[in-house]
C-alpha cells in the first residue's frame, strides 16, 4: 500500500519529499504502525512532535490505511 | 515615501509629568534596528552603571521597531526594556497582541520613561493626545481586571498594557500584560514599570504607516500568504499551538519535572496539549497581522474556585507550572497560569520559583511556620495559590522568593543554591539541559539570563548526539544572533520556525518597509553587535570576569537524570568548562569570558572596549586573533 507523508521546516529535509515540496510517497505494508514506517524510512520518530491527519492527531502507534495523507509536525520551541 | 517609522519619539519625565516630543532618530533605528537593539543602546548610554534598576535613574523603554504594524506576517510585537532588576544587566522582553501596531498608528516609534512618578499614573496615547492620568483607583488592581476596567473607561478600541500587584510591589520577575493574556514576561519589566508607579499604558492610533515600497511589499506578502496557507504545519499549528510539545518533551527526556529533578513525568497525559484542546479550549486567538493564531483562549474550572478565563497555557507555562510542580490536572495548570497572569508575574519564572519553593519544603528547608500555616506540596493547587499571594505581596518569606530563585537560595542557604534553577538570576525555560548540552550552553550564555528564545537547540542536540559537545558552541552563537533579530524587528519568530519563511524573505520585507537595502549578513552583524554591547554592559555593572556569571546551578552537573528515557544521563563539570572555553573562543572573547578589543572594534564598539579597559575587564588579545566568522548555521543532514 501507499501513504503520503508531509513535513515542513527542518523536518522536510529529513523526509526527502519526492511528490511535491512537502510530500513523500511511501510504499509500505498494511498493518504497520506509523512509528514502524518512520523507522523503515530512517526518520527517527523523536524528530516528530506529533502526527496529524484528517483534522486530528494521528498516533504514531496507529497503522495508516492505504492512500492516507499524514502531516508530521516538527518540535519547535515554545513562545 | 516612508521608512516604517511613525516619526515621533516621546520622552516622558514621570516626576515632572513633562512630555517631550522629538523627531525619531532614524540613524539610531538604522544602526540598532529597533526593539531590543534600541534598549541595548539607550540603557548603555544613559543609565549610570551603579544605578538601582528600580530607582529613578533607570529608564523604561517601549518601542515597536520598524516592522511592527506593517503589512507583513505577524508584525505584531512591542518591546519593553530597561536595566533588569532580576539580572542586573540588559533586560528586554516583548509581547504580541496589538499594542505595538497601535503605537505606530498613533504616530510614535519610541517612548522613553524617565524618573519616578510621585503618585500612581497611567499613560494615555490617543493619536496627538498624550497624557499622564491619576491611577489611584487602579493601583492595587490585578492585571486582567485593570485591563478590563481601563477598556471600560476609555473604550474597547484602546490597546492596554498593565501591571499587577507583583509589579507594584517590586517582585523582580513581574511581567506586563496585554490583550487579556499576552505577556512581556521575562527580565522583570513589570517591576521596573511598578517602580516608576506607572500602572498602565493605553494606546489608540488611527494613522497609517508609510513604507518605502508598498507595491513590492504587497506583492511579496501576498505570495507568502498564499504559500503559507497551504503549508502542512499550518492547520495543526492553528488547532493546537505550542502546548502539544509537552508530550514530546517528556518522551525525549527534556521535560522539567519536580523542579528539574528529573525529565520524565508520569502524569504527562493529564496535562498535555490534548487535554488543553479537549477540556479547556474556548476559542483560538491571534495577534495583529497573524493567520497562524497559536493563542488558545481557555476556561479553567477548579472546584471551590471561580471559573477563570485566560490565554494558555502554552508550552513553557504548561511545562513549568505543570510537570515541574507535579500538577495532575490541566485545569489546575491553567488556574495557576491565570493566577500568575492576574498577579502580574512571569509564568515561566513563576513556575520555576514555586517549584524551587516546593523542593525546599520537601527537604524541610522551609516549613508551615514560614508559610503562614500552609504547606507547599507538589501537585497542590491551593498551596500554590497561597504561596503566590505571599510572593506578590511580599509577605514573610514571600519577600525572599519575590527576588527569584537565586536570591531566595541566598537567603535560605543550606545548599539550596544547587537546585535554584537559574542563570544570572533568571529562571530556566521549560527544557532540562542535562541531556541536551547545546540547550544548557544556551541558558548559560544568554544575555538576559536563562532563556530559550535566545537559542533553542534541542533538535540539534538530538541530531548531532546528546552526549557530544564538540561543535555545539558555534551553532548556539549563530542562533543567538538570528533568533533575537526577530525581537529587534518586533515581529513574531514563529513564521520562520514553523512555516519556512526564510531569513532572506524577511530581510526583503524589511527592505521594502525601510529602504535600507541590507542583507541577512549585515543584520546578523547588527545582532552580534547588540549581543556584545549587552555583554560589556553586564560586565561593567557586575564588575567581575564574564565567566563567573555563566555557570548553571550545580544540579546541572552533579545530578544525573534519575528516571525515564534519560535515566543516568548528564554532563560533567569538565564538559561544562569545555563548552564555555569553546564558546568564548568562537565568540572572540578570552577564556575569562571577556570580549577583546579586536572584536569590539570590529563591531564598531570601541567605546565599550575603552570602558572595559578602565575597569580591568577587557579581554586579553587572542593569540591567533579573533575568528573571522562568529557562529555557524546548523545544516541538518538529509536521511
Ligand atoms: S504565531 Fe502566535 S505568537 Fe506569533 S503572531 Fe501569531 S498568534 Fe501571535
Amino acid at each position: 500500500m501507499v501513504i503520503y507523508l508531509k513535513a515542513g521546516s527542518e523536518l522536510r529535509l529529513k523526509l526527502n519529499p519526492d511528490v511535491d515540496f512537502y510530500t513523500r510517497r511511501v510504499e509500505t505494508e498494511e498493518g504497520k504502525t506509523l512509528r514502524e514506517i518512520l523507522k523503515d524510512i530512517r526518520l527517527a520518530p523523536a524528530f516528530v512532535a506529533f502526527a496529524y491527519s484528517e483534522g486530528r492527531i494521528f498516533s504514531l502507534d496507529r497503522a495508516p490505511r492505504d492512500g492516507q495523507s499524514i502531516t508530521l509536525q516538527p518540535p519547535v520551541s515554545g513562545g | 515615501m516612508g521608512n516604517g517609522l511613525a516619526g515621533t519619539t516621546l520622552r516622558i519625565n514621570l516626576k515632572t509629568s513633562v512630555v517631550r516630543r522629538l523627531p525619531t532618530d532614524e540613524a539610531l533605528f538604522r544602526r540598532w534596528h529597533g526593539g531590543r537593539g534600541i534598549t541595548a543602546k539607550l540603557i548603555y548610554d544613559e543609565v549610570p552603571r551603579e544605578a538601582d534598576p528600580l530607582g529613578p535613574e533607570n529608564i523604561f523603554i517601549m518601542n515597536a521597531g520598524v516592522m511592527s504594524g506593517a503589512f507583513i506576517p505577524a508584525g505584531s510585537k512591542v518591546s519593553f526594556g530597561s536595566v533588569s532588576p532580576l539580572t542586573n544587566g540588559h533586560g528586554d522582553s516583548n509581547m504580541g497582541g496589538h499594542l505595538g501596531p497601535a503605537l505606530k498608528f498613533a504616530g510614535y516609534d519610541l517612548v522613553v520613561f524617565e524618573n519616578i512618578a510621585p503618585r500612581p499614573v497611567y499613560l494615555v496615547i490617543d493619536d496627538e493626545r498624550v497624557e499622564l492620568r491619576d491611577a489611584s483607583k487602579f493601583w492595587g488592581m490585578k492585571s486582567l481586571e485593570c485591563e478590563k476596567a481601563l477598556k471600560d473607561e476609555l473604550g474597547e478600541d484602546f490597546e492596554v498594557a498593565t501591571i499587577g500587584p507583583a509589579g507594584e510591589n517590586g517582585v523582580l520577575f513581574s511581567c506586563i500584560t496585554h490583550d487579556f493574556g499576552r505577556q512581556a514576561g521575562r527580565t522583570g519589566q513589570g517591576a521596573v514599570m511598578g517602580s516608576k508607579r506607572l500602572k498602565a499604558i493605553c494606546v489608540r492610533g488611527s494613522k497609517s504607516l508609510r513604507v518605502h515600497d508598498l507595491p513590492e511589499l504587497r506583492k511579496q506578502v501576498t505570495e507568502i500568504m498564499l504559500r503559507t496557507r497551504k503549508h502542512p504545519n499550518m492547520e495543526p499549528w492553528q488547532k493546537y499551538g505550542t502546548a502539544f510539545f509537552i508530550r514530546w518533551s517528556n518522551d525525549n527526556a527534556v521535560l522539567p519535572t519536580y523542579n528539574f529533578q528529573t525529565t520524565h513525568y508520569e502524569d504527562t497525559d493529564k496535562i498535555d496539549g490534548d487535554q488543553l484542546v479537549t477540556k479547556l479550549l474556548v476559542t483560538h486567538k491571534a495577534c495583529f497581522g497573524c493567520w497562524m493564531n497559536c493563542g488558545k483562549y481557555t476556561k479553567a474550572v477548579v472546584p471551590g474556585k471561580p471559573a477563570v478565563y485566560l490565554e494558555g497555557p502554552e508550552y513553557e507555562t504548561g511545562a513549568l507550572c505543570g510537570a515541574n510542580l507535579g500538577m495532575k490536572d490541566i485545569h489546575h495548570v491553567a488556574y495557576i497560569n491565570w493566577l500568575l497572569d492576574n498577579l502580574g508575574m512571569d509564568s515561566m519564572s513563576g513556575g520555576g520559583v514555586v517549584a524551587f519553593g516546593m523542593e525546599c519544603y520537601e527537604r524541610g528547608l522551609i516549613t508551615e511556620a514560614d508559610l503562614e500555616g500552609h504547606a507547599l506540596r507538589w501537585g497542590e493547587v491551593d498551596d500554590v495559590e497561597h504561596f503566590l499571594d505571599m510572593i506578590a505581596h511580599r509577605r514573610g518569606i514571600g519577600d525572599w522568593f519575590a527576588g527569584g530563585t537565586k536570591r531566595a537560595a541566598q537567603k535560605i542557604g543550606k545548599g539550596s543554591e544547587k537546585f535554584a534553577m537559574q542563570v544570572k538570576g533568571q529562571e530556566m525555560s521549560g527544557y532540562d539541559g542535562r541531556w541536551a548540552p547545546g540547550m544548557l550552553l544556551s541558558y548559560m550564555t544568554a544575555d538576559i539570563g536563562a532563556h530559550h528564545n535566545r537559542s533553542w537547540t534541542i533538535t540539534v542536540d538530538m541530531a548531532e548526539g546528546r552526549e557530544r559537545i564538540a561543535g555545539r558552541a558555534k551553532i548556539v552563537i549563530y542562533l543567538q544572533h538570528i533568533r533575537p533579530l526577530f525581537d529587534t524587528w518586533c515581529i513574531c519568530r514563529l513564521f520562520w520556525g514553523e512555516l519556512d519563511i526564510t531569513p532572506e524573505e524577511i530581510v526583503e520585507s524589511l527592505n521594502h518597509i525601510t529602504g535600507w537595502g541590507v542583507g541577512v549578513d549585515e543584520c546578523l552583524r547588527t545582532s552580534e553587535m547588540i549581543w556584545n554591547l549587552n555583554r560589556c554592559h553586564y560586565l561593567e555593572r557586575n564588575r567581575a570576569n564574564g565567566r563567573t556569571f555563566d555557570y548553571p546551578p550545580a544540579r546541572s552537573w552533579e545530578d544525573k537524570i534519575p528516571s525515564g528515557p534519560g535515566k543516568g544521563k548528564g554532563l560533567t563539570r569538565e564538559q561544562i568548562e569545555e563548552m564555555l572555553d569553546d564558546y568564548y573562543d568562537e565568540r572572540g572573547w578570552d577564556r575569562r569570558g571577556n570580549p577583546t578589543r579586536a572584536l569590539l572594534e570590529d563591531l564598531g564598539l570601541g567605546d565599550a572596549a575603552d570602558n572595559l579597559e578602565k575597569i580591568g575587564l577587557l579581554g586579553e588579545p587572542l593569540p591567533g586573533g579573533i575568528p573571522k566568522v562568529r557562529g555557524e548555521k546548523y545544516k541538518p543532514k538529509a536521511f
Side-chain angles (χ1 to χ4, degrees):
Chain A
M1 75 173 201
V2 171
I3 64 166
Y4 297 93
L5 298 179
K6 288 176 182 287
S9 323
E10 282 187 5
L11 193 53
R12 191 182 70 80
L13 300 175
K14 295 186 170 76
L15 182 65
N16 273 335
D18 55 7
V19 177
D20 61 27
F21 192 67
Y22 302 115
T23 313
R24 174 164 169 183
R25 181 180 185 275
V26 178
E27 289 199 24
T28 185
E29 295 151 35
E30 208 162 323
K32 271 199 172 176
T33 66
L34 180 57
R35 191 182 299 280
E36 289 165 338
I37 295 168
L38 293 177
K39 279 191 182 140
D40 288 347
I41 62 168
R42 297 204 294 136
L43 201 167
F47 292 110
V48 178
F50 64 91
Y52 181 83
S53 182
E54 293 156 4
R56 52 208 304 190
I57 299 291
F58 188 91
S59 164
L60 297 194
D61 297 315
R62 264 181 70 191
R65 57 177 161 63
D66 188 26
Q68 190 158 9
S69 179
I70 299 170
T71 295
L72 307 174
Q73 181 77 16
V76 291
S77 67
Chain B
M1 224 165 22
N3 57 4
L5 291 170
T8 303
T9 289
L10 296 174
R11 283 252 171 195
I12 300 178
N13 187 321
L14 291 162
K15 187 175 176 189
T16 59
S17 295
V18 171
V19 176
R20 284 188 295 149
R21 291 163 197 269
L22 307 164
T24 294
D25 181 348
E26 288 182 29
L28 179 76
F29 276 84
R30 175 66 186 80
R31 181 155 190 233
W32 300 89
H33 282 210
R36 74 186 223 101
I38 298 287
T39 289
K41 174 65 175 160
L42 293 186
I43 62 172
Y44 188 83
D45 286 353
E46 296 186 21
V47 183
R49 296 297 177 266
E50 63 289 348
D52 176 359
L54 298 181
E57 292 172 302
N58 199 3
I59 53 176
F60 175 63
I61 298 161
M62 170 170 75
N63 84 91
V66 288
M67 294 181 86
S68 190
F71 174 66
I72 51 166
S76 61
K77 301 276 180 174
V78 63
S79 173
F80 297 98
S82 62
V83 174
S84 163
L86 193 61
T87 68
N88 198 35
H90 164 100
D92 74 89
S93 191
N94 64 71
M95 63 188 177
H98 305 263
L99 181 67
L103 184 68
K104 302 280 281 290
F105 300 155
Y108 307 98
D109 300 299
L110 170 63
V111 185
V112 182
F113 296 93
E114 302 160 349
N115 230 310
I116 289 180
R119 63 192 69 81
V121 292
Y122 66 103
L123 177 70
V124 176
I125 298 178
D126 189 7
D127 284 336
E128 266 67 46
R129 191 158 57 95
V130 179
E131 286 172 12
L132 285 171
R133 293 189 186 171
D134 179 11
S136 22
K137 70 177 172 188
F138 301 109
W139 199 252
M141 268 189 192
K142 293 181 176 166
S143 298
L144 304 172
E145 289 150 21
C146 184
E147 183 172 356
K148 170 86 172 61
L150 281 162
K151 277 180 170 273
D152 286 348
E153 179 149 320
L154 297 169
E156 184 60 36
D157 50 349
F158 272 83
E159 300 301 339
V160 176
T162 62
I163 58 165
E168 294 173 10
N169 296 324
V171 174
L172 298 190
F173 52 94
S174 299
C175 67
I176 302 167
T177 287
H178 160 58
D179 202 23
F180 300 103
R182 291 275 160 187
Q183 275 84 23
R186 308 246 72 190
T187 71
Q189 297 307 309
V192 177
M193 216 169 133
S195 74
K196 301 205 168 298
R197 298 201 183 93
L198 178 62
K199 178 68 180 175
I201 298 168
C202 313
V203 183
R204 181 167 67 176
S206 65
K207 299 178 187 139
S208 56
L209 193 61
R210 291 169 66 80
V211 300
H212 176 72
D213 191 341
L214 184 59
E216 281 303 312
L217 183 66
R218 187 184 287 139
K219 203 164 96 192
Q220 190 209 7
V221 172
T222 305
E223 188 277 315
I224 288 174
M225 204 182 283
L226 294 173
R227 172 159 40 105
T228 53
R229 265 176 39 191
K230 291 187 221 129
H231 193 284
N233 291 352
M234 179 61 99
E235 191 183 317
W237 183 264
Q238 287 175 325
K239 200 156 182 176
Y240 300 114
T242 59
F244 250 86
F245 302 115
I246 288 183
R247 184 191 299 264
W248 176 85
S249 278
N250 188 54
D251 291 347
N252 290 286
V254 289
L255 182 67
T257 304
Y258 301 119
N259 192 36
F260 289 79
Q261 292 186 67
T262 186
T263 58
H264 183 69
Y265 188 46
E266 61 277 12
D267 288 306
T268 296
D269 283 356
K270 296 176 181 157
I271 61 159
D272 72 0
D274 198 30
Q275 296 286 303
L276 183 145
V277 172
T278 55
K279 293 191 171 162
L280 305 180
L281 184 65
V282 176
T283 189
H284 305 285
K285 205 169 157 229
C287 305
F288 175 87
C290 176
W291 52 94
M292 270 174 91
N293 57 256
C294 78
K296 303 293 155 237
Y297 199 64
T298 55
K299 178 183 179 185
V301 182
V302 175
K305 301 181 190 299
V308 296
Y309 290 87
L310 67 149
E311 188 172 336
E314 43 75 62
Y315 171 81
E316 300 296 335
T317 311
L320 291 164
C321 297
N324 210 32
L325 304 185
M327 291 294 148
K328 297 181 188 342
D329 185 331
I330 191 72
H331 284 282
H332 292 184
V333 182
Y335 186 76
I336 293 166
N337 189 164
W338 174 83
L339 285 171
L340 286 158
D341 288 357
N342 212 15
L343 289 166
M345 291 186 257
D346 172 26
S347 58
M348 293 166 65
S349 278
V353 167
V354 174
F356 173 69
M358 284 175 162
E359 188 168 347
C360 287
Y361 178 80
E362 184 179 47
R363 291 169 181 268
L365 303 181
I366 58 173
T367 66
E368 276 91 345
D370 301 310
L371 294 161
E372 301 175 334
H374 288 252
L376 190 53
R377 298 158 294 186
W378 304 112
E380 293 295 333
V381 69
D382 287 333
D383 294 359
V384 175
E385 184 164 16
H386 182 264
F387 188 50
L388 287 178
D389 198 64
M390 286 182 72
I391 294 172
H393 297 96
R394 304 193 84 127
R395 292 198 313 273
I397 62 161
D399 185 52
W400 298 355
F401 286 84
T405 49
K406 180 181 166 186
R407 289 172 182 82
Q410 285 164 353
K411 296 276 188 194
I412 293 164
K414 300 181 184 139
S416 60
E417 293 89 347
K418 171 182 165 173
F419 56 88
M421 304 308 290
Q422 54 74 40
V423 180
K424 301 184 181 72
Q426 176 147 273
E427 287 67 29
M428 289 180 175
S429 307
Y431 312 91
D432 190 309
R434 280 177 290 182
W435 197 27
M439 196 65 237
L440 191 66
L441 183 63
S442 302
Y443 287 150
M444 288 157 62
T445 55
D447 61 343
I448 56 165
H451 187 36
H452 69 287
N453 261 357
R454 293 294 189 255
S455 156
W456 186 82
T457 64
I458 306 273
T459 48
V460 177
D461 287 319
M462 285 166 54
E464 295 297 299
R466 298 179 69 165
E467 271 95 34
R468 203 164 154 246
I469 58 170
R472 218 48 57 88
K474 279 183 187 168
I475 295 165
V476 167
I477 291 167
Y478 175 78
L479 289 169
Q480 288 177 338
H481 294 165
I482 192 147
R483 290 175 68 100
L485 268 176
F486 294 84
D487 305 337
T488 60
W489 295 329
C490 294
I491 61 173
C492 180
R493 172 187 300 112
L494 292 170
F495 273 68
W496 165 66
E498 271 290 285
L499 298 182
D500 290 309
I501 308 295
T502 64
E504 287 73 18
E505 286 178 301
I506 295 165
V507 171
E508 193 184 326
S509 297
L510 175 72
N511 288 326
H512 292 328
I513 292 168
T514 60
W516 289 349
V518 290
V520 174
D521 284 349
E522 187 183 333
C523 295
L524 287 168
R525 207 174 147 75
T526 300
S527 199
E528 186 183 11
M529 175 178 70
I530 296 166
W531 194 275
N532 277 279
L533 187 69
N534 289 346
R535 182 69 169 191
C536 295
H537 197 171
Y538 195 85
L539 267 52
E540 287 177 40
R541 284 190 69 86
N542 293 282
R543 298 291 174 120
N545 292 319
R547 193 175 189 116
T548 323
F549 306 106
D550 289 342
Y551 289 95
R555 169 161 287 161
S556 306
W557 67 83
E558 284 182 2
D559 296 355
K560 302 293 174 221
I561 297 171
S563 59
K567 186 171 178 183
K569 303 293 183 187
L571 292 161
T572 63
R573 174 72 190 241
E574 291 69 34
Q575 286 177 305
I576 283 171
E577 300 291 359
E578 199 182 322
M579 282 203 293
L580 281 178
D581 286 346
D582 282 355
Y583 180 88
Y584 299 147
D585 292 351
E586 293 292 340
R587 272 220 171 271
W589 299 352
D590 72 5
R591 290 278 176 99
R592 299 174 303 166
N594 299 347
T596 56
R597 178 173 287 283
L599 174 77
L600 294 173
E601 288 185 346
D602 185 52
L603 293 169
L605 298 173
D607 290 356
D610 295 343
N611 291 339
L612 284 187
E613 191 160 35
K614 278 184 213 143
I615 56 172
L617 291 175
L618 185 63
E620 297 292 336
L622 304 181
I626 57 167
K628 281 212 164 47
V629 180
R630 278 86 59 180
E632 187 177 290
K633 186 175 180 182
Y634 176 60
K635 293 176 200 75
K637 292 184 281 280
F639 284 73

